[in-house]
Amino acid sequence: MTTDPAHLETLSALARKVLWLSSWTIHHANHIRPNVDGLKVGGHQASSASLATIMSALYFSVLRPQDRVAVKPHASPVFHAIQYLFGHQSREKLENFRAFKGAQSYPSRTKDVDDVDFSTGSVGLGVAQTLFASLVQDYVKAHGWAKDRPEGRMIALVGDAEMDEGNIFEALLEGWKHGLRNIWWVVDYNRQSLDAVVREGLWEKFETMFRNFGWDVVIVKYGSLMRKAFAEPGGEALKKWIDECPNQLYSALCFQGGAAFRKHLRDEIGDQGAVSQLIDRRSDDELLELMSNLGGHDMASMYEAFEAVDHDRPVCFIAYTIKGIGLPFQGHKDNHAGLMTVAQMEKWRSLQNIGPGREWDKFEGLSQDPAALEAFLANAPFNLEGRRRLSAPVIEVPERLSFTASPQMSTQQGFGLLLNEIARGDSELASRIVTASPDVTVSTNLGAWVNRRGLFARAEKADLFRSEKIPSTFNWDASPKGQHIELGIAEMNLFILMSALGLSHTINGERLLPVATLYDPFIERGLDALNYACYQDARFMVAATPSGVTLAPEGGAHQSIATPLIGMAQDGLASFEPAFVDELAVIMAFGFRYMQREDGEGGSVYLRLSTRSIDQVQRMMTPDLQSAITEGAYWLRKPGPNAEVVVAYTGAVAPEAIEAVGLLGESRRDIGLLAITSADRLHAGWTAARKLRRDRRGVQHLSHIEKLLAPLPRECGIVTVLDGHPATLAWLGSVRGHRAEALGVEHFGQTGTIDDLYRHHGIDANAIIDAAESLTAGAPVRHRKMAV
Ligand SMILES: Cc1ncc(C[n+]2csc(CCOP(=O)(O)OP(=O)(O)O)c2C)c(N)n1
Ligand SMILES: [Mg+2]
């Protein structure tokens, strides 16, 4: 390949500028911005430097508008510097790096203004996000959408120690199953993590592993200076020394400088004529320049490696780098949080011909013509289509979904019926839903949906059982038109896939309505990925079932206790736990609308469902009831004016609550039964109302729960109950100052019948009655008779 030397020259100059600006951003935050206590430090400086050349090659020349990038968290200053040069990031935000509303420590889709494609921060997740984003692009294309958009490459800049994160390996396996393509991972092989220097020979493990998964591996180890030196007499011996030098030593020598390299080379190679001359011809500075000219810092090597890719197979680039290259602490194993002193920065500034006070000037100190550089940036292919965030029209959703009711049903069963009903029709909604499950499709009741809509695969694959006419309940034909993505058992993958599907409208300009199913306890297995997906503002629906101790005989770690609290606490996720299927029908319709809102109100949706079949209430779904269900609660039995006690329940324990209220009614007055469909939305509404009243004095706004509880007399007690942690509803007592007893589950793992376990955990009818008695005066209440 012949690359225009002037092009490389300009790219190198910009890379130097990027390194300067990113370092100045950090320096400014640490030494210049006033009152910065607590905002100092951070492992950015050394980590960023590693990637200045590679990212400059990508952003200023290699990337196309349709490409999307996840940048290694600590390279955020480099990313912001590049965007600053493009004119997409302001000086003010850079000056406020890591400060309130300033440029973010880690690139953030939702908090940064400069076109971050994928957020990063929790290492490993952004990397996997690119993999699933690529699969989603294939999904969109296979369904005949985004026809006029060229396929983009999904690119991750990966730290070498980041590769320790297990979720990357889980994703790799899934990618292989789905015929992954259009993806590049560039490993910043600086052989350093946060604490230390990485294991020897790690690259070999990476190489074999990636090849094993069908990836191309491109190792960019030597820069062009090195390659030239290798061609000199004695060059082979130098190359051999470099190849055999342990990571620790190489890092240490890079830190110590040219003289230290010379001494080691002499001691270890001895007097060998040609190679000794090769070394002696160079001054200490030149020797250091040569030895630190690893591939990842050499514009020509990186640029050519990227440009040489002429296919859509996945590629892993292993780019050798030095952590902190060009900075006084380059290569030092403790440099992760390394910062330059004022004196060091001053020296570096003048070396680069940057005048005092002109540190932010875009082209200060560069020899190129500023107008030419400006034109170069304006013509960078990456920039040609302006901002890269796309949008897509809202998909229409009916007021509520229909289903064929049975007198007894579980919410999990209802979920299956509701999706089946959607699948039967030919609505736009039906065509935009895409489901996924980590090997629990059948056991979470998605079977009927999949039977109708099929499995997704880029190539047709018949279900052999079906073609052989072997009776089976499920049709597993796979095709490019399929709408279910079957995953292996990896909940991290599930949530990162949700993150990718749920951003399709902004990445591909085509809206998808993703629905994930999994077992409720295993939300915890994928929790950081769920958090990550929400943080990026991806929009999806999670149906988690079975949940709680209600799945009784399954016992063990299949029981979930904490998930209702996770549902409440997770930002960006509205959580619901309906008891009846007509509630679920309302909630799912609401959910599909909520997932599409872009007014700062919408988000993702979590449905905590149960396998317990319970008697369904027969009623008309009125608009009032409907909105109460989505706001989080309604009176299943309205309390009278002199109510002594109210039972507030969530989810599968509805029959216990109903029974307890019946018995309590025999000896207590005006009992109320509050059905809580969303502790999360109720609580959020309550908090928001209080804030509004504080912020705008005189505003009378009451939240839904305040209105519901307002008529209760002061002495009325509240018993709350759910199959989950009692703290979920315990706050209800504080809303209007009622005494409350919170029942729930605090221990897990016991097997038994539902009756056994509800009794064991104190969430059965008698436990509710006991709690009500402790809150009220009066005659003893008749209890439920126990089966013996
Ligand atoms: C999930 C998670 N765990 C821990 C951290 C803290 N952390 C940030 S960077 C880092 C080391 C990264 O090393 P590497 O990926 O090699 O990047 P480098 O700094 O060498 O460029 C660690 C442990 C994190 N950000 N995310
Ligand atoms: Mg590293």
Side-chain angles (χ1 to χ4, degrees):
M1 187 195 315
T2 50
T3 313
D4 175 11
H7 189 74
L8 288 180
E9 190 52 43
T10 308
L11 286 177
S12 302
L14 289 172
R16 281 198 301 280
K17 183 45 73 179
V18 163
L19 181 58
W20 164 261
L21 282 170
S22 60
S23 307
W24 184 251
T25 300
I26 296 161
H27 190 75
H28 189 276
N30 285 293
H31 292 290
I32 298 176
R33 193 171 60 207
N35 306 320
V36 290
D37 284 356
L39 293 172
K40 287 191 180 185
V41 200
H44 291 93
Q45 183 86 75
S47 243
S48 258
S50 272
L51 277 171
T53 301
I54 294 172
M55 284 174 62
S56 299
L58 286 171
Y59 281 94
F60 296 133
S61 187
V62 176
L63 291 182
R64 300 290 173 270
Q66 62 272 20
D67 297 337
R68 293 290 182 274
V69 191
V71 173
K72 182 185 77 169
H74 285 96
S76 130
V78 164
F79 173 79
H80 292 311
I82 288 172
Q83 297 294 346
Y84 175 71
L85 288 177
F86 275 142
H88 297 159
Q89 179 59 285
S90 69
R91 171 171 167 181
E92 190 196 351
K93 295 240 182 230
L94 292 187
E95 285 179 339
N96 283 310
F97 178 59
R98 289 165 67 87
F100 190 58
K101 306 255 174 171
Q104 298 288 297
S105 311
Y106 308 109
S108 169
R109 271 185 71 80
T110 49
K111 306 286 181 295
D112 275 317
V113 294
D114 49 354
D115 247 3
V116 172
D117 292 329
F118 302 120
S119 304
T120 54
S122 175
V123 300
L125 298 179
V127 183
Q129 170 84 30
T130 58
L131 186 149
F132 287 103
S134 181
L135 296 183
V136 169
Q137 175 173 259
D138 280 343
Y139 181 93
V140 166
K141 290 276 177 191
H143 284 77
W145 296 315
K147 276 208 183 71
D148 51 348
R149 274 181 59 75
E151 282 175 1
R153 291 166 298 199
M154 304 297 163
I155 300 173
L157 298 158
V158 192
D160 46 2
E162 184 166 20
M163 288 291 303
D164 283 326
E165 281 290 1
N167 80 275
I168 295 183
F169 301 84
E170 297 175 13
L172 271 176
L173 189 54
E174 204 58 53
W176 169 77
K177 291 187 210 163
H178 290 274
L180 176 69
R181 57 204 191 101
N182 287 317
I183 186 161
W184 289 3
W185 285 356
V186 187
V187 180
D188 174 8
Y189 196 54
N190 60 23
R191 289 151 292 155
Q192 279 187 250
S193 60
L194 193 160
D195 286 336
V197 176
V198 305
R199 273 303 143 86
E200 246 15 90
L202 195 57
W203 65 273
E204 280 176 303
K205 300 292 160 206
F206 292 162
E207 183 181 15
T208 3
M209 182 183 70
F210 278 100
R211 289 206 197 282
N212 190 22
F213 284 119
W215 290 51
D216 281 12
V217 178
V218 177
I219 297 178
V220 194
K221 180 162 182 181
Y222 317 106
S224 35
L225 277 183
M226 277 189 176
R227 281 182 280 143
K228 271 194 213 114
F230 297 159
E232 292 175 29
E236 270 309 305
L238 178 71
K239 179 166 183 287
K240 184 164 176 293
W241 185 88
I242 292 176
D243 286 349
E244 287 172 1
C245 183
N247 289 341
Q248 282 247 30
L249 179 61
Y250 209 91
S251 292
L253 294 177
C254 285
F255 172 70
Q256 289 173 301
F261 263 117
R262 188 183 309 280
K263 180 170 181 321
H264 265 269
L265 285 162
R266 274 209 191 119
D267 290 353
E268 281 153 38
I269 302 182
D271 188 4
Q272 293 247 351
V275 63
S276 304
Q277 286 165 24
L278 188 161
I279 296 161
D280 290 344
R281 270 199 299 280
R282 287 164 168 88
S283 68
D284 283 353
D285 284 351
E286 285 166 343
L287 190 59
L288 180 62
E289 197 189 352
L290 172 65
M291 299 305 273
S292 50
N293 179 241
L294 294 174
H297 301 312
D298 185 64
M299 187 54 81
S301 306
M302 281 322 302
Y303 181 76
E304 282 161 18
F306 290 139
E307 290 291 323
V309 180
D310 58 0
H311 54 77
D312 67 2
R313 288 193 305 280
V315 187
C316 171
F317 298 88
I318 299 177
Y320 276 69
T321 54
I322 295 162
K323 190 157 168 173
I325 181 81
L327 310 176
F329 38 70
Q330 69 175 16
H332 196 293
K333 71 179 169 61
D334 304 340
N335 68 9
H336 189 77
L339 291 169
M340 303 231 283
T341 63
V342 173
Q344 286 169 332
M345 201 65 188
E346 190 56 22
K347 192 169 146 206
W348 194 36
R349 183 182 61 69
S350 67
L351 272 176
Q352 299 199 70
N353 289 326
I354 293 175
R358 308 192 56 121
E359 294 85 357
W360 294 111
D361 290 8
K362 281 189 178 177
F363 307 124
E364 174 79 358
L366 300 185
S367 57
Q368 281 85 351
D369 168 31
L373 287 172
E374 203 61 81
F376 188 94
L377 290 171
N379 288 321
F382 169 83
N383 257 344
L384 288 182
E385 290 175 12
R387 289 305 175 101
R388 298 136 50 82
R389 230 168 257 187
L390 308 176
S391 61
V394 170
I395 310 296
E396 206 179 310
V397 181
E399 252 324 284
R400 62 173 175 273
L401 305 173
S402 58
F403 62 99
T404 316
S406 312
Q408 278 215 329
M409 278 189 287
S410 71
T411 46
Q412 170 175 321
Q413 196 185 348
F415 169 75
L417 289 172
L418 285 158
L419 272 183
N420 183 40
E421 205 55 37
I422 296 174
R424 274 155 48 104
D426 60 355
S427 60
E428 180 73 352
L429 171 67
S431 74
R432 296 283 171 161
I433 290 178
V434 46
T435 56
S437 185
D439 204 26
V440 289
T441 300
V442 171
S443 48
T444 55
N445 249 295
L446 259 185
W449 162 267
V450 180
N451 276 346
R452 289 189 190 278
R453 293 278 159 170
L455 286 175
F456 171 71
R458 269 181 41 232
E460 302 269 349
K461 207 165 116 251
D463 181 342
L464 188 119
F465 276 71
R466 205 160 100 103
S467 39
E468 290 291 318
K469 303 204 166 38
I470 303 171
S472 156
T473 325
F474 302 104
N475 161 19
W476 289 82
D477 282 339
S479 84
K481 294 278 161 274
Q483 285 181 250
H484 174 73
I485 301 177
E486 181 69 11
L487 296 174
I489 326 163
E491 287 72 16
M492 289 295 280
N493 280 343
L494 178 74
F495 288 124
I496 304 172
L497 174 63
M498 287 300 117
S499 175
L501 290 165
L503 288 176
S504 178
H505 53 295
T506 75
I507 302 281
N508 303 304
E510 293 291 342
R511 192 181 298 278
L512 298 173
L513 296 169
V515 179
T517 70
L518 81 165
Y519 292 176
D520 193 57
F522 304 133
I523 281 187
E524 287 163 13
R525 183 68 168 256
L527 193 51
D528 197 29
L530 170 63
N531 181 55
Y532 174 67
C534 292
Y535 176 58
Q536 301 212 83
D537 202 25
R539 301 298 179 82
F540 52 92
M541 183 181 282
V542 179
T545 174
S547 58
V549 297
T550 303
L551 51 82
E554 288 276 314
H558 276 61
Q559 298 173 339
S560 59
I561 294 176
T563 47
L565 292 174
I566 290 172
M568 285 181 86
Q570 180 60 55
D571 193 10
L573 190 70
S575 309
F576 296 88
E577 185 166 356
F580 304 109
V581 178
D582 64 348
E583 296 168 353
L584 181 64
V586 168
I587 290 166
M588 281 177 69
F590 167 84
F592 287 127
R593 286 191 296 275
Y594 186 75
M595 283 156 66
Q596 303 188 66
R597 285 174 70 168
E598 278 167 23
D599 49 4
E601 294 281 315
S604 290
V605 176
Y606 162 34
L607 311 172
R608 188 174 190 251
L609 305 182
S610 173
T611 37
R612 185 185 193 194
S613 194
I614 64 171
D615 289 338
Q616 299 294 300
V617 277
Q618 307 299 322
R619 58 187 164 190
M620 283 289 292
M621 186 53 67
T622 62
D624 281 353
L625 179 55
Q626 198 166 308
S627 78
I629 287 170
T630 57
E631 284 188 74
Y634 63 91
W635 288 114
L636 193 58
R637 171 168 158 174
K638 224 179 169 141
N642 300 309
E644 287 180 290
V645 70
V646 155
V647 176
Y649 77 91
T650 278
V653 295
E656 281 63 33
I658 292 169
E659 185 179 6
V661 163
L663 291 166
L664 281 165
E666 295 172 7
S667 40
R668 296 289 182 281
R669 268 194 301 178
D670 290 357
I671 310 296
L673 180 58
L674 188 64
I676 295 185
T677 46
S678 174
D680 180 23
R681 296 208 13 114
L682 267 193
H683 189 272
W686 179 44
T687 316
R690 276 177 297 156
K691 183 169 172 355
L692 189 74
R693 294 196 296 260
R694 261 199 308 272
D695 292 351
R696 303 229 306 268
R697 287 192 190 282
V699 169
Q700 291 301 311
H701 175 74
L702 286 184
S703 65
H704 187 59
I705 189 65
E706 287 167 315
K707 285 187 221 157
L708 284 168
L709 300 186
L712 297 183
R714 190 132 192 98
E715 329 66 59
C716 178
I718 302 178
V719 181
T720 67
V721 59
L722 80 158
D723 179 2
H725 197 277
T728 312
L729 296 176
W731 55 274
L732 280 177
S734 307
V735 175
R736 298 196 70 89
H738 293 105
R739 281 168 311 128
E741 274 263 353
L743 307 181
V745 180
E746 286 172 294
H747 305 286
F748 68 92
Q750 184 58 261
T751 53
T753 61
I754 289 179
D755 270 357
D756 290 336
L757 295 188
Y758 281 11
R759 193 176 332 126
H760 176 69
H761 292 292
I763 54 171
D764 62 345
N766 286 346
I768 297 170
I769 294 167
D770 289 343
E773 279 190 310
S774 77
L775 291 172
T776 52
V781 183
R782 186 165 70 91
H783 280 54
R784 179 191 189 203
K785 279 207 185 58
M786 290 300 181
V788 268

